[in-house]
Amino acid sequence: MADKIKNAKIVFVVGGPGSGKGTQCEKIVAKYGYTHLSSGDLLRAEVASGSERGKQLQAIMQKGELVPLDTVLDMIKDAMIAKADVSKGYLIDGYPREVKQGEEFEKKIGAPALLLYIDAKGETMVKRLMKRGETSGRADDNEETIKKRLDLYYKATEPVIAFYEQRGIVRKINSELPVDEVFAIVEKAIDELK
Ligand SMILES: Nc1ncnc2c1ncn2[C@H]1C[C@H](O)[C@@H](COP(=O)(O)OP(=O)(O)O)O1
Ligand SMILES: [Mg+2]
């Protein structure tokens, strides 16, 4: 089964909470037929299912902490295999959150062809998340948890970007711009993959 995704085009979408990863992924899906897998969305779906695993996950996520590595990776892999026949590529959104997660992903699934680094200022991310929190219903879109998520992002995820920069696959995207202008930069990076 895992053979099906062996040669798949894999794009890591990395950036702080509220940087605009989900927004850009949605546009990539519409234009390029990629499959969008947000690790956060997969986890929230598990929570919503009410399963025992979901309950444990909820407690961790509410504190703004990282969920155990194997759990996230298994969920991503299953979702990739499920879409293998219809997918032109995969957007792995919000993963890897730390270098070790990237290494495990490559061992179990494959190497990314590109890392889109969706970059916005801390104050911009906070503003966007507070606004999103008005309607998102996400337990972690509140001021206290946002601050923790940002701190963790800077500590754990920035080394991920440095790690893949050595391989020359990082494209830094200025996400301070309006959505469509951000997407114009994203398109260039994706087009280079063909
Ligand atoms: N370039 C941009 N300009 C203004 N607002 C943006 C933006 N990109 C995203 N947003 C808004 C949409 C959401 O309400 C919020 C967070 O975006 P998101 O795509 O959900 O971020 P992420 O998935 O990185 O957490 O910010
Ligand atoms: Mg998101």
Side-chain angles (χ1 to χ4, degrees):
M1 270 309 255
D3 276 2
K4 278 181 144 187
I5 50 172
K6 220 173 58 191
N7 297 311
K9 231 181 259 175
I10 294 167
V11 176
F12 284 165
V13 184
V14 176
S19 59
K21 299 180 297 295
T23 302
Q24 293 302 318
C25 284
E26 206 175 291
K27 296 177 82 68
I28 298 169
V29 168
K31 175 161 182 188
Y32 295 94
Y34 278 41
T35 296
H36 176 208
L37 296 174
S38 156
S39 57
D41 289 348
L42 289 172
L43 292 165
R44 282 185 289 276
E46 184 77 37
V47 170
S49 79
S51 68
E52 197 45 49
R53 182 159 81 172
K55 281 179 196 145
Q56 290 165 9
L57 293 173
Q58 184 173 34
I60 296 169
M61 289 161 76
Q62 224 151 28
K63 286 188 270 178
E65 294 169 2
L66 294 179
V67 164
L69 195 147
D70 286 342
T71 310
V72 191
L73 203 51
D74 287 346
M75 291 171 77
I76 292 175
K77 190 172 182 184
D78 289 348
M80 287 178 78
I81 291 169
K83 288 290 172 94
D85 292 330
V86 294
S87 189
K88 297 266 192 284
Y90 295 95
L91 299 167
I92 310 298
D93 165 5
Y95 188 102
R97 288 285 227 276
E98 50 192 8
V99 172
K100 189 152 184 297
Q101 290 188 349
E103 291 172 334
E104 286 301 311
F105 184 100
E106 296 196 35
K107 263 191 239 159
K108 284 200 188 169
I109 301 174
L114 169 70
L115 187 155
L116 289 175
Y117 169 23
I118 309 296
D119 182 43
K121 284 186 281 198
E123 57 185 284
T124 304
M125 294 193 267
V126 173
K127 252 189 240 154
R128 288 179 184 171
L129 289 175
M130 291 300 288
K131 185 121 206 302
R132 187 175 76 181
E134 290 169 12
T135 54
S136 71
R138 281 181 50 165
D140 57 355
D141 279 349
N142 64 74
E143 196 159 8
E144 198 193 323
T145 310
I146 288 170
K147 202 178 160 296
K148 268 203 207 150
R149 285 156 70 204
L150 271 183
D151 286 349
L152 185 58
Y153 165 69
Y154 287 119
K155 254 206 306 265
T157 309
E158 290 207 320
V160 171
I161 293 157
F163 179 79
Y164 287 104
E165 230 148 34
Q166 298 165 6
R167 283 199 212 162
I169 65 163
V170 174
R171 294 288 175 277
K172 186 172 176 175
I173 312 292
N174 177 4
S175 190
E176 290 286 327
L177 299 168
V179 171
D180 288 337
E181 290 176 40
V182 177
F183 188 59
I185 313 171
V186 167
E187 281 176 302
K188 280 194 199 128
I190 303 272
D191 287 339
E192 279 174 23
L193 284 181
K194 286 189 193 149

